[in-house]
Amino acid sequence: MAQELDLELGLAPYDPWVLKKNLTESDLNNGFIILPKQDFEKIIRQMERGLVKNLGNGVEVKVHIIEEGPESDDYTLTLVKCRGNYMFRGGWYNMVKAKCYKPDDEIGLMWDKWSRRFLFHHIN
């Protein structure tokens, strides 16, 4: 009574974007974006403690838009925790207007611990 074993190995596509969000009208026009809490808390685990500790006061962070290439300048945004929500403001409005993002555009976000900045991707 021999049993057959399924030993097939497969690889799932790697998706580095820890946080994904479809942009809304309010994300684009209110000067801030509220980030999905559950996903953002996965990112926080990778960030420096001092940075996380000061989120209530707001901290300046660098955001690199990967579509612009490795040599492009980073945007400086303010990351803040307010009433239990995490949000980007202070530079967010200028960034989304400069990039011409629209409602329903999907974005991806991850923390690059080596360069100590966010990597931002316009998925579609």
Side-chain angles (χ1 to χ4, degrees), residues 40 43-44 46-62 77-81 86 88 111-113 116-118:
F40 193 78
I43 292 174
I44 282 181
Q46 302 170 25
M47 298 171 73
E48 297 85 11
R49 284 187 188 155
L51 189 70
V52 174
K53 186 177 178 180
N54 288 311
L55 287 178
N57 299 320
V59 293
E60 284 193 350
V61 293
K62 299 292 184 186
L77 305 181
T78 302
L79 175 63
V80 65
K81 183 178 182 182
Y86 300 95
F88 281 137
W111 178 254
D112 180 352
K113 65 182 178 181
R116 296 182 181 144
R117 65 183 178 179
F118 286 97

Side-chain angles (χ1 to χ4, degrees), residues 73-114:
D73 290 334
D74 294 337
Y75 287 86
T76 301
L77 305 181
T78 302
L79 175 63
V80 65
K81 183 178 182 182
C82 180
R83 298 185 194 126
N85 292 311
Y86 300 95
M87 61 182 76
F88 281 137
R89 60 182 192 196
W92 170 254
Y93 182 81
N94 292 335
M95 186 179 93
V96 298
K97 291 304 175 195
K99 305 314 298 169
C100 299
Y101 296 135
K102 300 179 294 300
D104 294 323
D105 281 354
E106 185 178 19
I107 60 162
L109 191 69
M110 65 177 283
W111 178 254
D112 180 352
K113 65 182 178 181
W114 306 113

